[in-house]
Amino acid sequence: MCLIAFAYQSHPTFPLIIIANRDEFYERPTAAAAFWEDAPMILAGRDLKMNGSWLGVSTSGRFAAITNYRDPSRPESGELSRGEIVQTFLSAKQGTSSFIDELREKRALYGGFNVLLYDGVALHHYNNVVDEHHIVPPGVHSVSNATLNTAWPKARFAKEVLQTAITAETVDTTDLISLLANEQIAPDETLPNTGVGIHLERALSAAFVNLPNYGTRCSTAITFQQNGTIQLLERTYEQGQLAFDTAYEIKS
């Protein structure tokens, strides 16, 4: 997952609204969002290489999502899979603060990441590279491959389109799902310098990434309602082309 924008306690009917794009190599095997047979409380897509996930919700009202931290000087992966963090949190009953405390103790075992964790009470962000933990305040926020609210062009764009979308009286996943389908490249003077070279910085600056062997594999829109209902819509792409949508609803 490489781009997430979310509105937390910013709409009278929807305490949490999320839009997200997952960017990955096309060859990496993936299952679309579904309830997991081996963990039926989890509704999420699944990375079939390591069996974890990048984003999901649970029947208990939890949400988790993870992005990689972009730094070519650091190892791409670690001893432990980042996707297991999402899986473990969604199936746990443990409080979020204590979950993050345990995560911090083994942070060096993972590749760099940001993780968002919501337990129905509070929304938390943790980055293992800079070792920062935030209890996220109400508002519209975004995270890509730096840390929370880093003003990369794609992160600013995601916040802006979501901020506009939540001004509507009602918010629906079908209206949200296309908000991040923007392939526009940011101007060079606005690009970060993360060490991957200017050509790749340009390509990765778009909200929707479309490269020959790597790009946006799926987009996800999630709404949490005050009455406990969770709606999730996932749009799957195959090499930049729309393949199919998958929709689910969880009622408390």
Side-chain angles (χ1 to χ4, degrees):
M1 181 67 66
C2 283
L3 180 60
I4 308 171
F6 54 98
Y8 178 55
Q9 295 182 356
S10 299
H11 191 283
T13 308
F14 302 90
L16 183 58
I17 301 166
I18 302 127
I19 55 175
N21 278 354
R22 181 207 182 204
D23 302 334
E24 184 55 86
F25 288 99
Y26 300 141
E27 65 184 18
R28 190 167 181 126
T30 297
F35 287 100
W36 293 9
E37 290 187 6
D38 56 340
M41 76 292 294
I42 294 177
L43 170 58
R46 197 160 201 177
D47 168 38
L48 298 179
K49 182 177 181 180
M50 301 302 292
N51 285 320
S53 183
W54 57 94
L55 174 151
V57 297
S58 74
T59 55
S60 64
R62 290 189 166 211
F63 161 75
I66 200 159
T67 71
N68 293 354
Y69 185 93
R70 191 192 308 161
D71 182 352
S73 69
R74 296 175 55 87
E76 172 59 28
S77 59
E79 182 178 330
L80 299 177
S81 168
R82 288 166 286 209
E84 75 169 16
I85 299 171
V86 171
Q87 176 182 358
T88 302
F89 181 78
L90 292 178
S91 58
K93 296 181 179 179
Q94 181 181 10
T96 306
S97 291
S98 63
F99 183 90
I100 290 175
D101 287 343
E102 293 182 4
L103 193 56
R104 294 180 100 150
E105 293 178 1
K106 53 184 180 180
R107 63 184 181 273
L109 301 179
Y110 298 95
F113 68 80
N114 293 278
V115 68
L116 296 170
L117 303 171
Y118 178 64
D119 56 12
V121 177
L123 179 61
H124 296 245
H125 163 263
Y126 177 66
N127 179 303
N128 73 325
V129 176
V130 294
D131 191 24
E132 63 180 14
H133 173 204
H134 300 108
I135 297 178
V136 181
V140 179
H141 306 270
S142 64
V143 62
S144 182
N145 303 110
T147 190
L148 185 67
N149 290 322
T150 299
W152 286 6
K154 66 194 301 178
R156 290 199 308 269
F157 169 80
K159 287 176 69 172
E160 289 168 2
V161 294
L162 183 57
Q163 183 72 69
T164 300
I166 65 171
T167 60
E169 182 177 343
T170 187
V171 178
D172 190 87
T173 54
T174 56
D175 297 324
L176 296 170
I177 194 68
S178 298
L179 292 179
L180 298 183
N182 188 328
E183 297 187 43
Q184 184 174 348
I185 302 300
D188 284 359
E189 62 270 18
T190 68
L191 298 177
N193 181 6
T194 62
V196 298
I198 187 60
H199 297 292
L200 193 51
E201 293 285 10
R202 288 172 181 152
L204 297 177
S205 73
F208 188 99
V209 178
N210 192 354
L211 290 167
N213 64 341
Y214 177 92
T216 299
R217 299 279 301 272
C218 70
S219 297
T220 309
I222 303 172
T223 58
F224 283 70
Q225 298 181 29
Q226 291 285 12
N227 64 8
T229 299
I230 303 170
Q231 291 186 323
L232 182 149
L233 177 61
E234 180 183 86
R235 177 161 293 171
T236 297
Y237 296 91
E238 294 180 357
Q239 297 193 350
Q241 301 300 311
L242 174 62
F244 57 88
D245 288 353
T246 309
Y248 289 91
E249 182 174 88
I250 296 172
K251 291 191 174 181
S252 59

